[in-house]
Amino acid sequence: MFATPGTEGTETELAGGALGGATRISEGTAQAIERSVRAVAPAVAVVRVSVSEPDHLWLARAYDVRGTLVPLPQQHEEAVARWVACDQPQRDWRLQHDLDLDTGHLTVSTYLRQVA
């Protein structure tokens, strides 16, 4: 499981596909995203993608295996979010999704439980 910082210093675990299941993005897109992201931030394990309505603000935040935010240049955030959303237009983009860079699996971001 991938852990991200929760409120007040606790960590929360993310569920793999609790809503909408896991989908593998296309091989070419997955490889292009992995190369692009790891060229500027080698420690990235997961990219969280969100598309805000109604302005279609494209955003991708990167995290390492411990759930620590890894800064990406803004142009990378926007490009990665567009690549993922365009590769998977059938997904419900009102929800945030997590892309595992190692597997290319895309899951809806959910928080399951607090970890001490």
Side-chain angles (χ1 to χ4, degrees):
M1 294 272 172
F2 173 74
T4 58
T7 58
E8 299 177 21
T10 62
E11 290 187 353
T12 53
E13 284 192 6
L14 296 177
L19 300 170
T23 303
R24 182 147 172 47
I25 65 173
S26 68
E27 189 70 28
T29 301
Q31 289 175 355
I33 290 171
E34 180 184 14
R35 280 192 306 269
S36 175
V37 170
R38 290 200 171 137
V40 295
V44 172
V46 172
V47 175
R48 178 163 296 151
V49 176
S50 61
V51 179
S52 298
E53 296 291 343
D55 298 327
H56 290 338
L57 173 64
W58 304 84
L59 185 65
R61 295 283 192 227
Y63 299 90
D64 65 16
V65 295
R66 293 174 300 164
T68 303
L69 181 66
V70 178
L72 291 178
Q74 183 177 358
Q75 66 270 22
H76 271 77
E77 289 183 2
E78 293 172 2
V80 168
R82 285 180 190 269
W83 286 346
V84 173
C86 290
D87 187 82
Q88 297 291 312
Q90 74 281 7
R91 301 295 291 202
D92 183 352
W93 289 107
R94 294 173 297 177
L95 305 171
Q96 293 182 342
H97 289 70
D98 289 339
L99 174 64
D100 183 313
L101 289 187
D102 289 332
T103 66
H105 286 108
L106 185 67
T107 57
V108 173
S109 301
T110 57
Y111 296 96
L112 279 185
R113 63 182 179 89
Q114 295 291 326
V115 178

